[in-house]
Amino acid sequence: MRQSPCVITTPTWRQGVPAAASEAPAQTALDAGVWSSLKMAGVSRCLKYSMFVFNFLFWVCGCIILGVSIWIRVSKDAQEDLSINNNNMFVGVDVLIAVGSIIMILGFLGCCGAIKESRCMLLLFFIGLLLILILQVTGGILGAVYKPQLEEGLNLTLTEAVNLLKDNTENAKQVQESWQKFQLQGQCCGLVNGASDWGNNINLVIDGKKVCECEQKYQEENLCIPFGDRYIFKQPCKTVILDFLQKNMDTIMGIAFGMAVIEVLGLVFSMCLYCQIQRK
């Protein structure tokens, strides 16, 4: 019997094999590829916006540091409230301005690099953050290795400050006024050796009070010793400063460790996002 021309015969290699069974492997592979692509897109999007949020907060912190430090630098009222009257203190404010600027720039690079998926910006962000982390680690190591030299430098700085307390120049008067405020706040006298640090200026009157003068309320707390016809604070301010640093050393170390963790997270985020963009 002749076969009708409209009948399509099944190839011999597919005879006896259901159509669904022959197409299943190809369809499964296609679905797996689509799912893998969607999964990678989801990971990339999550990484992208996590990087953006992280760097936005980083940028905001930089703006706050920069704004506050510039305000302190130009505002006379702020300088008086914070007792900033000499060049050494202004150097600290200038350092804060530089730190705020660097943080703000890095945050901007990270935000734009994440949103625009710019490899160049992400790479600049990674390099800048890595350099800061290296400087922090290097500073910590050098501080531990050269601790005796740092103590000698601190003592030299304190000696120079003692000379200003004994002096009568205009610059010295500004330092003396600032130090008198610190003495009243810290309940201390002088810098290294107590009243002798003031020399002939020990009876100098600043804001209606003689320097190192100890009020009645502090006498009851055993913070004062007799000195001529009055009472003065008995402990030197160096002791107060060192006690403050020792008590707050855990806080300082915690802040340093927290900054290091944040920087490492930023490095990881930026490198992962850079690699994701590189694969596209």
Side-chain angles (χ1 to χ4, degrees):
M1 185 176 179
R2 293 180 57 188
Q3 188 176 19
S4 171
C6 295
V7 176
I8 301 175
T9 59
T10 304
T12 56
W13 64 272
R14 296 188 63 176
Q15 290 179 359
V17 179
S22 62
E23 294 176 2
Q27 185 65 33
T28 302
L30 179 61
D31 291 344
V34 172
W35 172 248
S36 178
S37 300
L38 291 174
K39 188 176 180 181
M40 290 299 296
V43 171
S44 179
R45 190 178 297 109
C46 178
L47 199 60
K48 174 179 176 179
Y49 288 108
S50 297
M51 180 76 178
F52 174 81
V53 171
F54 171 83
N55 283 284
F56 179 75
L57 296 175
F58 204 57
W59 178 79
V60 169
C61 290
C63 290
I64 292 173
I65 294 173
L66 181 62
V68 171
S69 54
I70 290 176
W71 172 67
I72 293 173
R73 195 70 174 82
V74 301
S75 174
K76 297 294 183 182
D77 295 334
Q79 293 169 13
E80 291 177 0
D81 293 338
L82 298 173
S83 301
I84 299 176
N85 295 314
N86 59 65
N87 293 330
N88 291 332
M89 292 182 178
F90 280 120
V91 169
V93 176
D94 293 338
V95 170
L96 283 177
I97 291 175
V99 169
S101 301
I102 292 172
I103 292 176
M104 190 175 68
I105 291 171
L106 287 176
F108 174 79
L109 287 173
C111 285
C112 292
I115 290 298
K116 294 185 177 182
E117 298 186 1
S118 171
R119 288 182 295 173
C120 179
M121 287 185 173
L122 288 173
L123 192 59
L124 288 174
F125 171 81
F126 179 86
I127 293 172
L129 204 58
L130 182 62
L131 289 176
I132 291 176
L133 185 61
I134 292 173
L135 287 175
Q136 284 181 224
V137 174
T138 304
I141 294 173
L142 292 177
V145 173
Y146 294 101
K147 185 178 179 181
Q149 289 83 342
L150 291 175
E151 290 179 352
E152 290 179 4
L154 176 61
N155 291 329
L156 180 61
T157 302
L158 294 177
T159 301
E160 293 176 354
V162 167
N163 293 332
L164 288 174
L165 295 181
K166 297 178 180 179
D167 207 345
N168 292 314
T169 62
E170 288 298 322
N171 185 37
K173 288 180 180 179
Q174 293 180 353
V175 174
Q176 290 162 6
E177 290 175 1
S178 300
W179 198 250
Q180 170 66 354
K181 293 178 181 178
F182 181 83
Q183 289 180 149
L184 294 175
Q185 293 174 355
Q187 292 91 53
C188 57
C189 179
L191 194 54
V192 179
N193 301 310
S196 61
D197 291 341
W198 285 91
N200 295 328
N201 292 329
I202 187 60
N203 292 316
L204 184 67
V205 177
I206 299 176
D207 294 334
K209 291 183 179 180
K210 291 184 178 181
V211 294
C212 297
E213 185 171 351
C214 189
E215 299 178 2
Q216 180 67 33
K217 60 181 180 180
Y218 298 122
Q219 296 176 23
E220 297 172 355
E221 298 176 10
N222 195 28
L223 298 176
C224 312
I225 56 173
F227 185 83
D229 58 348
R230 62 192 177 100
Y231 282 86
I232 63 172
F233 294 109
K234 64 180 180 181
Q235 65 176 351
C237 293
K238 178 183 177 180
T239 304
V240 175
I241 295 172
L242 293 177
D243 288 344
F244 174 81
L245 291 176
Q246 290 175 355
K247 290 178 181 177
N248 293 275
M249 187 57 66
D250 291 340
T251 303
I252 295 171
M253 293 298 294
I255 292 173
F257 180 76
M259 290 178 63
V261 170
I262 291 173
E263 288 163 3
V264 170
L265 286 175
L267 292 173
V268 172
F269 278 149
S270 59
M271 185 51 63
C272 289
L273 186 57
Y274 180 88
C275 293
Q276 290 288 341
I277 296 171
Q278 186 78 12
R279 292 174 183 175
K280 289 185 178 181

